[in-house]
Structure formats: structure tokens, C-alpha cells
Amino acid sequence: MIIMGTIMTMSSSNWLMAWIGLELNMLAILPIISKPKTTRASEATIKYFLTQAIASAMMLLSSTTNAWQTGSWDILELKNKFSTTIMTLSLMMKMGAAPIHFWLPEVLQGTTLQTALLITTWQKLAPISLMYMISNNIQPALLMSAGILSMIVGGLGGINQTQLRKTMAYSSINNLGWTIMIMALSPNLAVMNIFIYMIMTTPIFLMMTSTSTKTLQNLTTTWTTSTATTLSIALLMLSTSGLPPFTGFMPKMLALNELITQKLTTLATLAIMTSLVSLLFYLRITYLTMVLTSPMTT
């Protein structure tokens, strides 16, 4: 049902069908989130349901208002400025981008690592595809402001975390910031950025699941039992941070190049500064994983 809902949304040209696909997707993942019979899992399920339901209501309001004004339910015919703004905010809320990001770290913390992987990767495909389709109609200032805010929130929020699921949630917000910011200038580059992020995030979560690693403290004890896995997690974290010469540096470099080409040097500088802030918590994880726990330092 999750796969069917996402494919229905991505392949539809009509707002109603896209909305139905998102609803199917949301209703299908609720039992998966609530599978662990704990209070935290129940709390995470309710938070996820409420935020997604509000976002769906906003989406329906936006598409109905646009249909009332233009007489069309076509996704590409989103011409009304009010409808476009509301739609953009609802899609950002569904993805977990700032300033409507508060639910994401809490939901991830209350679920299993496999479900957290699903929420940070697959669940973003449908909203991103809709944002890609309407990117020509969205005001660039809105996307860039939300992008920079997400990068700042993602960078600062991850610094003080000891729980890896929350750290990955803030990492997700930070990378969404890059995607949303560049969506205003180059939608194809934005799609490439989110796909590279998903490719890097998936093995991190899978390796954390295989070693039952949930906190930074757990990560410091995995070197002796799973040296290759621990090393891989550390290198993937550095790649996600956008540090050269890793893969994660390429989309960030292309995004900065696009900003400078469009004479948005101030925005590019701000993006680099926020990227340095987020690099702090990635380096912290790498330091705890590789430096403190390796046999060479003992």
C-alpha cells in the first residue's frame, strides 16, 4: 500500500488522485510505526498522523481554491499565488522541512530503525515529485528562505544529540534544505541531490540496524565487533556532510555553482556557513567512531 500510494501520487496529473495516493501512503505506514508496543511508538504514530492529516487538509484547500479560480484540477495548472504558497507549505510539512519540522525527530525517535529509514527516504519521494512538478509556479524567495532555514535548523539541532535516530532526523532536515533551496533554480539538480542523500542514508540505517546501534555510546563500542561496519558508517557520515572528496560533496558543489551563476553570492555564502555548522556533528560522530575506539589510540 505504501509503494502503491507513492506510485499513484508520482504518476498522477490530477490533484485529487495525487491527494488520494498520499492518503493511502499515510494510512499504510501508521501500523508500521505503531508496531513496537511501546508508549513512544504510540506517541510517534499519533504525531505522524496529525501532522500528515493537517498537511493533507492544506493540500486539499490549496487544490480546491485553485480549481475554483482556474477551473482546472491539473497539477501543472497551479497558477493561483495563495494556492501555490499553501501547497508548498503542505508539501514541506509532509517532508519535514523547517519551519514545520518539529514532528520528524520525535517520530523517528519513537520508531524502529527500519521504519526511520522508510520515513527519511521513501516517504519523501511523493512530496518531492509534486514539488518538482509545480516548481515553476512557486515563488523562489519562499523556497530559498525555507531551504536556508532548514539548513540552519538541521545544523544546530543535530549538534547536541546523543540519539542517532534524532541525529539522522536533523541530517534529513539539513539535506532537505539544500534540496528545497536549489529547487527554485534547478529542479533537476534538486532531484539529484535528494536521490544521492537517499543512497547514502540507506546503508547507514541498515548498518545501524545490523549492529543494533541507537546511541553515540553504542557506536563507540562497535569497533571491536564490527570494524568494517563502523568504518563504513563513519565514512558515509562524512559523505552525507558534503565533505570532499566524498560523493555527498558533488550535489552541494553543483548547488553552490548554480547560486553563484545566478548572482546569489550572499545566499551561497550563507549555505556554506550553515554547512560548516552541520559538519560539526558529523565530525563528532566520526571522531567517536574512528579515533576514540580504534586500537591505534589505545
Side-chain angles (χ1 to χ4, degrees), residues 190-203:
V191 170
M192 186 191 76
N193 181 67
I194 199 72
F195 270 109
I196 288 175
Y197 167 72
M198 287 175 186
I199 289 164
M200 291 185 298
T201 304
T202 305

Side-chain angles (χ1 to χ4, degrees), residues 200-252:
M200 291 185 298
T201 304
T202 305
I204 292 175
F205 271 108
L206 291 175
M207 284 186 282
M208 279 162 57
T209 306
S210 69
T211 54
S212 300
T213 305
K214 293 181 181 178
T215 63
L216 282 177
Q217 192 176 2
N218 294 154
L219 204 59
T220 58
T221 59
T222 55
W223 183 275
T224 50
T225 53
S226 315
T227 308
T229 304
T230 312
L231 186 63
S232 299
I233 289 173
L235 293 175
L236 281 163
M237 285 288 185
L238 288 177
S239 182
T240 312
S241 71
L243 196 71
F246 298 103
T247 312
F249 173 66
M250 184 183 66
K252 286 183 171 60

Side-chain angles (χ1 to χ4, degrees), residues 139-149 180-181 184-185 259 264 267:
Q139 298 172 48
L142 176 64
L143 286 176
M144 288 179 187
S145 303
I148 285 292
L149 187 60
I180 292 169
M181 181 185 68
L185 304 173
L259 287 170
L264 296 166
L267 199 64

Side-chain angles (χ1 to χ4, degrees), residues 2 67 84 96 98 119 167 183 188 193 269 276:
I2 289 170
T84 309
I119 293 168
T167 304
M183 185 74 79
N188 292 335
N193 181 67
T269 309
L276 285 172

Side-chain angles (χ1 to χ4, degrees), residues 15-32:
W15 278 120
L16 277 178
M17 287 304 293
W19 178 78
I20 290 167
L22 285 169
E23 289 301 293
L24 276 174
N25 181 282
M26 185 256 290
L27 291 171
I29 201 172
L30 292 178
I32 297 173

Side-chain angles (χ1 to χ4, degrees), residues 68-120:
W68 180 41
Q69 293 285 329
T70 63
S72 172
W73 285 93
D74 197 293
I75 289 175
L76 299 175
E77 292 298 317
L78 195 70
K79 305 291 184 186
N80 185 279
K81 189 176 283 187
F82 171 78
S83 298
T84 309
T85 306
I86 296 295
M87 184 61 73
T88 307
L89 289 172
S90 73
L91 293 175
M92 281 161 48
M93 193 173 185
K94 279 195 170 290
M95 288 186 283
I100 325 166
H101 66 281
F102 303 102
W103 62 272
L104 187 61
E106 296 301 319
V107 169
L108 289 202
Q109 186 57 31
T111 61
T112 61
L113 285 165
Q114 295 97 320
T115 312
L117 168 63
L118 196 63
I119 293 168
T120 51

